[in-house]
Amino acid sequence: MAQDGLDPDDPDARRLAELERRLQKARDRGKPPEREATPSKLGAAFRLVTELLAAVIVGGGIGWGLDKVLGTSPFLLIVMLLLGVAAGFLNVLRAARELNAQGRRDG
């Protein structure tokens, strides 16, 4: 006897087990795919602020470091800070477009 109390040689038990397997397969196929949760508005705002702030800090830090090494103070700080601001704005635009497209798909 098998663990579930059915005789494995019984043709009805085999058919029943096969039917159960096919039913489970059909149930799994019918489940909707799990979606990622859309980010909250506060989360989206934090992401956009972080994108901008990180680019400005990195650009300014690189400019400051190069100024210290090369002795060109404050020229490279200003240039890299402006490049960081430009990169930050581009990152914010890119992230906003992505969030907007995600909102359209989910909404």
Side-chain angles (χ1 to χ4, degrees):
M1 295 226 103
Q3 282 181 325
D4 56 4
L6 298 175
D7 185 8
D9 294 330
D10 183 17
D12 289 337
R14 278 187 270 135
R15 286 179 44 211
L16 186 61
E18 174 66 19
L19 177 63
E20 182 62 35
R21 186 187 62 78
R22 288 181 17 219
L23 280 172
Q24 188 60 41
K25 187 177 176 182
R27 285 184 192 122
D28 291 343
R29 197 175 339 135
K31 290 181 183 176
E34 292 189 23
R35 299 183 321 182
E36 292 182 16
T38 58
S40 69
K41 295 197 186 309
L42 182 62
F46 276 130
R47 178 180 175 193
L48 296 177
V49 168
T50 303
E51 293 276 353
L52 179 62
L53 195 58
V56 171
I57 289 172
V58 168
I62 291 172
W64 178 80
L66 287 174
D67 274 341
K68 288 291 182 189
V69 170
L70 301 174
T72 57
S73 188
F75 177 70
L76 289 176
L77 173 65
I78 294 169
V79 169
M80 294 304 289
L81 196 62
L82 291 175
L83 285 175
V85 169
F89 280 134
L90 287 175
N91 286 343
V92 166
L93 287 173
R94 194 175 301 131
R97 284 186 191 131
E98 180 184 316
L99 289 171
N100 194 19
Q102 186 179 15
R104 283 190 192 138
R105 277 193 311 260
D106 295 339

